Amino acid sequence: MPAKPKPALSKPTTTKPTKSPKMPTAGPKTVRRFDELAETFVARGATRSQMFGMPVLKAGDKVFAGTYGDAMTFKLGPDDLQRARTLTGVEAFEPMKGRPMKEWVLVPLVQAKRWPDLAERAFEYLS
């Protein structure tokens, strides 16, 4: 009896890696204000770093604030988080659409006068 023919090998399927969302670039006003904040917190023991290509501040090894385009992000405790969300233009920090980060808010440049207080609250929360 003749041998059964072997089935044709299927080509391995390759999937294109999904593109990561491009991080928005901070403008000069945002960079200047972030640098001023960073100077204050670095003097108190925080460190400057990068996360996903954006400048951030860390308390120990935990990120508590960073830039995201012409806005800043802050990781806040429950009460501060609730208060921050009542500010005009503030929204949940959602770097990937549909996946908001818990305890994080995105605070636009128009609310920059509130950034120092929010950074302080975030630093205390993680310290």
Side-chain angles (χ1 to χ4, degrees), residues 1-125:
M1 187 183 263
K4 291 183 179 179
K6 291 184 179 178
L9 296 175
S10 61
K11 288 185 180 178
T13 57
T14 57
T15 57
K16 285 186 176 181
T18 56
K19 278 189 174 181
S20 298
K22 186 173 170 105
M23 294 297 157
T25 305
K29 285 182 182 178
T30 302
V31 170
R32 182 175 44 79
R33 288 181 180 263
F34 176 80
D35 287 343
E36 290 167 1
L37 268 177
E39 191 175 302
T40 301
F41 286 97
V42 166
R44 294 173 53 198
T47 55
R48 291 182 76 141
S49 189
Q50 294 273 319
M51 184 173 72
F52 307 122
M54 62 184 199
V56 296
L57 293 171
K58 291 182 174 182
D61 63 344
K62 306 271 188 192
V63 174
F64 68 92
T67 62
Y68 189 78
D70 278 328
M72 278 197 67
T73 63
F74 301 97
K75 184 172 186 172
L76 300 168
D79 293 339
D80 292 326
L81 186 63
Q82 188 175 9
R83 277 193 292 276
R85 287 181 174 159
T86 66
L87 300 172
T88 303
V90 172
E91 54 191 62
F93 180 45
E94 196 174 305
M96 290 178 60
K97 192 158 182 77
R99 304 190 94 186
M101 293 179 67
K102 294 178 184 175
E103 301 180 311
W104 285 86
V105 288
L106 182 67
V107 184
L109 184 60
V110 296
Q111 293 285 0
K113 66 182 177 189
R114 301 197 187 261
W115 290 357
D117 180 56
L118 291 167
E120 181 65 37
R121 292 172 185 277
F123 183 68
E124 288 175 7
Y125 179 57

